[in-house]
Amino acid sequence: MSGDEINGDTDAMREFASRIMGSLDKPPVSNISRSDGESTPCPGGLDSLCMHLTIAESETIRQLQTFITQAEQGFAAYSAFVQQTAANYLRADETARQEILNTFVSQRPEDLPKVDPRLVTPHSGR
């Protein structure tokens, strides 16, 4: 039945998750995203003229830092989800494989289903 199975590429899942986590180790696009949020001083004693720009800059930096942090946390959570999904997929696959093998090994000949008589006689060339 269509849609009743999961066919995931666990190697691709793990590689994707590793790439996401690896991207978090790279330096940020801009150093401003990691600045301490302190305002840039106005040069030449122009405090009264550029104070509103300094305040806007500080607020923008805080908002940018919040966004970057949330994006990094989201990437880390998604990476963990993908890794866990790949592990669950492999575990389920191994469990199903073991069940099939155990059934095969433990099945007594008298418990096997009857062979359809149409399959007993070879029909090649007919």
Side-chain angles (χ1 to χ4, degrees):
M1 189 179 249
S2 180
D4 287 350
E5 64 182 59
I6 298 173
N7 189 8
D9 183 343
T10 54
D11 289 337
M13 289 177 186
R14 289 190 299 250
E15 181 182 343
F16 174 73
S18 294
R19 285 185 182 196
I20 289 175
M21 289 308 292
S23 71
L24 299 179
D25 294 332
K26 293 181 180 175
V29 175
S30 168
N31 289 336
I32 200 165
S33 66
R34 299 289 186 243
S35 76
D36 60 8
E38 292 295 317
S39 299
T40 303
C42 296
L46 299 174
D47 288 344
S48 62
L49 297 175
C50 72
M51 186 55 79
H52 61 284
L53 293 175
T54 302
I55 292 169
E57 178 188 47
S58 294
E59 181 57 29
T60 302
I61 289 172
R62 280 192 293 276
Q63 290 175 0
L64 178 61
Q65 288 170 335
T66 299
F67 171 77
I68 290 171
T69 299
Q70 290 171 343
E72 288 175 340
Q73 290 169 346
F75 284 153
Y78 189 60
S79 176
F81 168 77
V82 171
Q83 288 279 22
Q84 187 62 45
T85 299
N88 290 343
Y89 189 94
L90 291 172
R91 192 171 28 259
D93 187 52
E94 179 61 22
T95 299
R97 187 180 74 77
Q98 283 298 323
E99 287 177 14
I100 290 169
L101 290 175
N102 289 341
T103 300
F104 179 73
V105 169
S106 65
Q107 191 85 41
R108 297 185 318 229
E110 60 271 12
D111 292 336
L112 293 172
K114 299 292 182 218
V115 176
D116 186 321
R118 294 173 295 175
L119 302 176
V120 176
T121 307
H123 294 288
S124 69
R126 290 190 186 167

